[in-house]
Amino acid sequence: MPIINRIADFIPDMVAWRHDLHQYPEIGLEEVRTSAFVVEKLREFGVDEVVAGIAKTGVVGVIRGQGQGGRAIGLRADIDALPIQEETGLAYASRNPGRMHACGHDGHTTMLLGAARYLAETRNFDGTAYVIFQPAEENLGGAQHMVKEGLFERFPMEQVFAMHNWPSIPEGTFMWRNGPIMAAVANIEIRITGKGAHGAMPHQGTDPVVIAAHIVTALQSIVARNLEPVEAGVVTIGHIQGGDTWNVIPESVLLRGTARWFRDEVGDLLEARVKELVPGIAAAFGARAEVSFERAYPATVNDPAATGRAIAAATAVVGEAKVAELPKPTMGGEDFAFMLNAKPGSYIMLGGARGPNDPQVHHPRYDFNDTILPIGASYFATLVEQLLPRA
Ligand SMILES: [Zn+2]
Ligand SMILES: [Zn+2]
């Protein structure tokens, strides 16, 4: 096996931890049990310091190497679950109704715990490794909370690294990318207020449903007609809510959507056009519309030098043939972006595909692939040993 031998010894324990975490998923900033689980394990491993309660449920473990050097790096795992009802039927399926580890953060947490145990036991490095267990990756920006609460001042580090399992990439293959790897995200919310009426007497009202239809269509012209074709951007409306029955024109309609981009200028353009089109169209029909374009996550941008180190560590674990460049970034969002805005580092994908038809992340039948647990743990441990070598 290409993984670190000592970490291979931990496989039964890591699988047990992962299944335990999987059974008790907790969503963002509510990860009380998960956080306590991490603290207990880190203490058990003999980690030098365990600091809990950063961004409510975040935990940082401090592991000092054998040398006296002052250098330090950070390794980050996200710990939160999603508000999804699990449909895997697994023996270790979620016991929390409406909650599921559908993005594999149970696996990320376990891989970083495996690395922490190995690093605390061997300490075959010079300097300090910080293991960062971050809450609320999904939607709530736990990384931003940790940065705001002084993560990098309290635990000064040169670089920070993270990894995400990816069920469409072959099992055990790492994929890296320089520059932007994940997109910036904004949440769009639109409230159209017209005038309710009987459905058979539309002339007596101002129909917000018809206006909503025009707005949804017009928003599609932003990427198609305003954005330079070689740039990347998305405007999606994912939620329309208004009205209750066949024959009533409602008073108002609510639309919710998402915008995605990589370059700041593109984000500014998307925002400006959404804010021009929506009230303009509503006004043209004699209605009002309020629109908010709330920027949630910046783009996740990898530092080329740090990515070079990530590639070297990944190659040491799985071999050159299983380390490849991700050909395109994804329009998905990731709050590790906030850490990368504050510190150079790199975010890498680790494939977990068992076959071509695996359910993808955020699907109710998705399940993290335990085979990659020791690979991810070995990657994190190798990064520390390679970046903070003993003299
Ligand atoms: Zn996710
Ligand atoms: Zn995720």
Side-chain angles (χ1 to χ4, degrees), residues 82 103 105 137-138 164 362:
L82 282 156
C103 205
H105 299 181
E137 190 283 320
E138 306 282 358
H164 207 294
H362 292 209

Side-chain angles (χ1 to χ4, degrees), residues 16 42 53 59 84 92 134 192 248 294-295 346 356 368:
L42 293 177
V59 180
I84 292 177
Y92 56 86
Q134 179 221 297
I192 305 157
V248 175
E294 194 189 312
R295 294 183 190 228
S346 195
F368 180 88

